[in-house]
Structures are given as C-alpha cells and as structure tokens.
Amino acid sequence: MFDISLDCSTVLLGAALFFVLYYFMKSRQRANFPPGPSGFPVVGYVPFATGNLGEKFFNLKGKYGDVMSVKIGPEDWVILNGFDVINEAFVKKGHAFSGRPSNEIFDALTGGKGIVMTDYGETWKNLRKFGLTTLRGFGVGKRGMEDNIIEETPYLIEELISSGTVTDLKTKMSYAVSNIICRVVFGSRYEYDDKKFVELQSFLIEFTKETWETKLLGLVTMAPFLRHLPIFKKAMKYAMVEVRKFLAIFEKIKEEHKSSFNENDIRDFIDAFLKEMKRDNQDEAGFSDEYLLQYIRDLFEAGTATTSSTLVWSMLAFLQYPECQEKIHSEIEDAIGDSGVPSMKHRDQMPYTCAFIQEILRHRPLLPLGVFHKTNEDATLRGYTIPKDTTVYGNIWAVHYDPDLFDNPEEFRPERFLDNEGQFVKSNHVIPFSIGPRHCLGEQLARMELFIFLTGIVQKLKVLPDPEKPPPDFNSGVFNMLFYDSHEFNVRYEKR
C-alpha cells in the first residue's frame, strides 16, 4: 500500500510539475507577445471569464494597453482594446486577421460550415460574394426590402397591442424580424401562430436565454477542454440535440425547394444557392447541401437575435427614459403624421430618432467582443509579434466606452450624436457590426429594420411599464454564451 501511495504521489507531483513547466515554457516562447494576465496554471484566465468580458478586458487596458493577451486554458488570445488598433488589424491588415479559429464547440455545432464560422480562404470568399450579391438581388438595402419591412410592421403592432401586457417581448420582436429573413430565404412570410414558424422562433430564442445551459456553453466555447467534465458534457449534449432539431426544419424546406426548383424562376435565397450547386465543381467552392443548411442557420441566428434584442433594449430605454420616446414621437408627428407610413426617406427629417438608434447600438453592444478572428499568417501589430493561428478579439465594448471618443460614455444620451443645429452626426466609432472583411453581412438590413419597426411602434403605440412589475435597470444585462442581452421585463402598450 505504501509503495502504491508513493507511486501515485510521484505521478501526481510529476504531472503538476509538467503542467507548470509547460505553462512557463509556453509563456517564454512568446517573448514578443502582447502582455496580459495569465491567470492560473493549466486553466489560465477561465475562472475569471464570467459576465461581460468586453468590460473586463477594457478595465485592464490601463495596465496592459490597447493590445493585450489573455491565457484561456492552453491558448493565448489577443484582445484589441481600441478603435485605432482594431481598424489597423481588421481593415488595414484584414488579409492577416480575418480567419476563424478552429473551435471544437462551434465545429461540433456547425460542422465548420456556413458563412460565420468558415475560415478565411477561397470557400469563404465565394460564399461571402454570393451572399452579398444574392441579398442585394432580393432587395436588401433597396426599396424592395423596405417594402417588406413596412408591410410587416402592422402585424408586429397588432401582436403587441393584442397581448395587453407583453411578458415575452423578445419573442414578439423576433416574430417580425425573423419574418423578414423568411421572405428572403424562403420566399414567403408566416403568420405568427403558424406551428412551424413558432417552432423556429423557439430555437432562435433558446440560445439567448439566461439558462444554466447557455452559461455552461459560454464557458465551453472559451475553454473547450471543459467539455469532458460531466456537467459541461450534459450541456453540450443538450445543444447538439437542439441544433439537430433546428436544422431539420431547414432540411425539410430545402427539400421542398428542390422538388419545385426551376432555374428560370429563382424565388429566394435557397433557389439561388441550389442554382449555384448545379455548376461544375461547386461542392469544392462551398456550394453543397451542408453549407446551405448552415448558411440559412447563420442568416436566421445573426439576423433575428441581434435586431430583435436591440429593439427590446430600445423598449427598455423608453421605460427608463420616457422623454426619449416622446421626442421620437414628436419627430414622427412632424415628419410623417398619424396616418403616414414610416420609411427610410424620413430619416433626414428625424435626426433625434437616428441619434437614439445609434446611441442604443453604442451603449448596448450585443456582442461586446464581437466574433472571434484568427491570424492567417504571422503578423505584427503595434510592435508585437502575433503568430499564425492566434485567436484575436476586437473589443467593441472598449471602443464604445472609450472616454476619448465619447464624453461620459456610461451615460445614455442620444443628444451626443446631434450637432449644434440639431442634425444627426453619424459616428464611425460605433461599430456594433464590426469592421473589415468579416463585418456583419446583414448590417444594412438590420439598420433598415431598426428604423422602420421602431418608428412604426412609436407612431401607433405608447410604451409603458407594468405597474405591478418595475422594469430592470437599463444599465444591467445578462450574458449568455458571448451574447449580451437585457433582463426579461413586462411592457404595456396603449394606442395613441
């Protein structure tokens, strides 16, 4: 027994020394790597990686600078804590900083396919070019898509007013926003009580809720080695089951499109993709059934969750800053009237409304760290050497809360984006959709939706708090995976 105990102790001691030595040597190997907190041996900064990491890393900027590193498990991340350095990396050196790191969790959930998670290269370039061209072809950023949003707005308003006190605001907003994606991808909209549509929305919302599964998945995303622990393994199993159900909806719709496909009558995004698949060697170019399913999923997840959450944040702002709602309504009365139809042509006549939307996007960035990037080659940045295949995050929160860019950034103040004449001033430093080659594909659509849905709601309805359940603090939120969202709250809507 003594010998066995001695052997076990020796093994454990040896293993501990090995990890400490490995950790030390790996740090020494990167002599010109950006500085930053190392955390603990083996796990690194993971024990501290909770809550709003964008804010946490921004608070470390004073100690480590605009370019810092943080050890997450065995990996070293690079965090960019300022606009100029993000612009230098993602725009000026975009060819070197536009990759996607191989993450076992996202690879398991997406197969490494789609537009969001595909690594930088010819396949991604083909898919990106196709997406931009096809979305424009179906009206994104143009009058055709604007008409779709205008047509959807009364359905959203009716849904809000018919519910009395709305307890599931995120779901209601998701219905309207998702239907715009449905028009582009599927070629039609759905009634809000359609069984298939409701099921689709439940999947879209599930991964942005504050649940123990989403919190665990967030940790596993940052530190994949945690997936081997039972509680994390259970969360991963749950996620995989839900994703398969989600993709099954798209699979059925895809097959329906295949059975009625006519290359001379391209009805929607799926048809356009199917047409590309029929060309020679298109599977190698990224045009396959697997890529199509993940591409559809990316469009729905990115296009629905972000815009609907921003609309929810806007409603919460109206509850805590009612003067904002009244100023927007005043502009609507002057520019559109009670019976006019809000459209993008009214933006120039509604500077405060534009300023409010820009301040929401600045103050409540939904992805504080953006989507992770990877270096495609050895790169230099601000005198530091960043090796190939290093994970890089552009800290959007650090930009939006930089006091050198925005006076009293913690304060919610739309007026900061109005000049002395009361005209709207667009800020290039508000970057919720990121910048560079991998900036959000649906930015134009999202901006159009925010303006039309928001003005449509305020034109017809007054947003009021539930007297029996006070709203949460506007300056607090919840963190699910890497997604920053508002707490759930109730809203009452009254017809104006």
Side-chain angles (χ1 to χ4, degrees), residues 354-368:
C354 293
F356 174 86
I357 292 173
Q358 184 160 265
E359 179 70 340
I360 281 284
L361 293 172
R362 180 199 72 84
H363 200 273
R364 302 287 88 180
L366 303 179
L367 290 170

Side-chain angles (χ1 to χ4, degrees), residues 389-401:
D389 294 330
T390 299
T391 297
V392 180
Y393 278 95
N395 191 350
I396 293 173
W397 188 277
V399 177
H400 288 187
Y401 279 79

Side-chain angles (χ1 to χ4, degrees), residues 195-482:
K195 184 177 179 181
K196 181 166 60 176
F197 186 68
V198 171
E199 184 181 18
L200 176 63
Q201 299 315 304
S202 68
F203 290 125
L204 287 170
I205 295 170
E206 189 66 26
F207 286 101
T208 60
K209 285 185 176 179
E210 187 182 15
T211 64
W212 70 269
E213 289 98 345
T214 55
K215 290 180 179 180
L216 292 176
L217 286 172
L219 288 172
V220 177
T221 299
M222 293 182 291
F225 64 87
L226 292 174
R227 73 192 185 282
H228 298 298
L229 300 178
I231 189 171
F232 293 98
K233 186 181 294 184
K234 184 177 180 180
M236 272 299 299
K237 184 178 180 180
Y238 156 80
M240 292 298 296
V241 170
E242 293 300 303
V243 166
R244 291 191 189 101
K245 292 179 183 177
F246 192 32
L247 292 178
I249 298 175
F250 300 144
E251 175 69 31
K252 184 177 181 180
I253 295 173
K254 182 200 71 177
E255 290 303 315
E256 291 171 352
H257 273 65
K258 279 188 173 182
S259 65
S260 59
F261 176 74
N262 179 355
E263 65 178 44
N264 296 316
D265 181 23
I266 302 303
R267 301 162 292 184
D268 48 41
F269 186 92
I270 294 179
D271 273 357
F273 202 99
L274 293 175
K275 185 175 181 178
E276 285 294 319
M277 286 171 58
K278 290 183 175 294
R279 297 186 182 184
D280 294 337
N281 301 317
Q282 287 301 82
D283 188 68
E284 297 177 6
F287 294 93
S288 65
D289 286 287
E290 294 81 6
Y291 269 102
L292 173 55
L293 289 178
Q294 294 296 346
Y295 210 140
I296 296 172
R297 177 187 165 187
D298 287 343
L299 290 174
F300 272 94
E301 288 185 342
T304 299
T306 53
T307 304
S308 59
S309 288
T310 302
L311 287 169
V312 172
W313 276 116
S314 299
M315 298 301 107
L316 183 56
F318 289 159
L319 298 183
Q320 299 221 341
Y321 308 103
E323 67 277 8
C324 294
Q325 179 180 183
E326 294 313 309
K327 287 179 181 178
I328 291 175
H329 185 255
S330 177
E331 284 193 336
I332 291 171
E333 286 187 319
D334 293 340
I336 307 170
D338 294 335
S339 58
V341 178
S343 67
M344 298 305 286
K345 70 181 181 183
H346 296 115
R347 281 184 304 176
D348 291 342
Q349 301 167 266
M350 301 176 64
Y352 182 84
T353 303
C354 293
F356 174 86
I357 292 173
Q358 184 160 265
E359 179 70 340
I360 281 284
L361 293 172
R362 180 199 72 84
H363 200 273
R364 302 287 88 180
L366 303 179
L367 290 170
L369 287 177
V371 180
F372 50 19
H373 288 225
K374 180 193 73 174
T375 47
N376 304 309
E377 58 191 54
D378 290 346
T380 58
L381 192 64
R382 299 292 175 89
Y384 296 112
T385 300
I386 303 177
K388 181 181 178 181
D389 294 330
T390 299
T391 297
V392 180
Y393 278 95
N395 191 350
I396 293 173
W397 188 277
V399 177
H400 288 187
Y401 279 79
D402 187 342
D404 292 333
L405 299 176
F406 305 104
D407 183 47
N408 295 323
E410 294 80 11
E411 179 185 0
F412 182 79
R413 183 164 52 87
E415 289 82 1
R416 71 173 73 248
F417 296 117
L418 298 176
D419 63 17
N420 293 332
E421 284 73 43
Q423 296 303 304
F424 172 61
V425 179
K426 185 178 185 298
S427 173
N428 292 327
H429 296 125
V430 179
I431 54 170
F433 303 97
S434 191
I435 53 177
R438 300 210 73 138
H439 78 277
C440 178
L441 193 67
E443 177 176 353
Q444 283 185 302
L445 176 59
R447 291 186 181 279
M448 188 179 286
E449 289 172 326
L450 289 173
F451 182 83
I452 295 175
F453 283 142
L454 193 68
T455 53
I457 291 170
V458 177
Q459 180 192 39
K460 300 297 183 182
L461 306 176
K462 190 166 186 177
V463 186
L464 299 168
D466 180 354
E468 297 182 4
K469 188 178 180 181
D473 182 10
F474 179 75
N475 291 305
S476 67
V478 293
F479 218 77
N480 304 314
M481 294 187 73
L482 300 177

Side-chain angles (χ1 to χ4, degrees), residues 34-95:
S38 296
F40 297 110
V42 183
V43 297
Y45 197 76
V46 171
F48 308 102
T50 58
N52 186 347
L53 290 180
E55 185 176 23
K56 284 189 175 183
F57 293 147
F58 175 51
N59 292 335
L60 293 172
K61 177 179 177 178
K63 183 175 182 179
Y64 298 110
D66 283 355
V67 185
M68 60 173 279
S69 67
V70 60
K71 187 172 287 293
I72 301 293
E75 294 188 13
D76 290 294
W77 289 1
V78 169
I79 311 297
L80 309 180
N81 271 326
F83 176 81
D84 288 343
V85 72
I86 292 175
N87 185 63
E88 181 180 344
F90 292 176
V91 178
K92 296 178 181 178
K93 297 182 178 181
H95 64 283

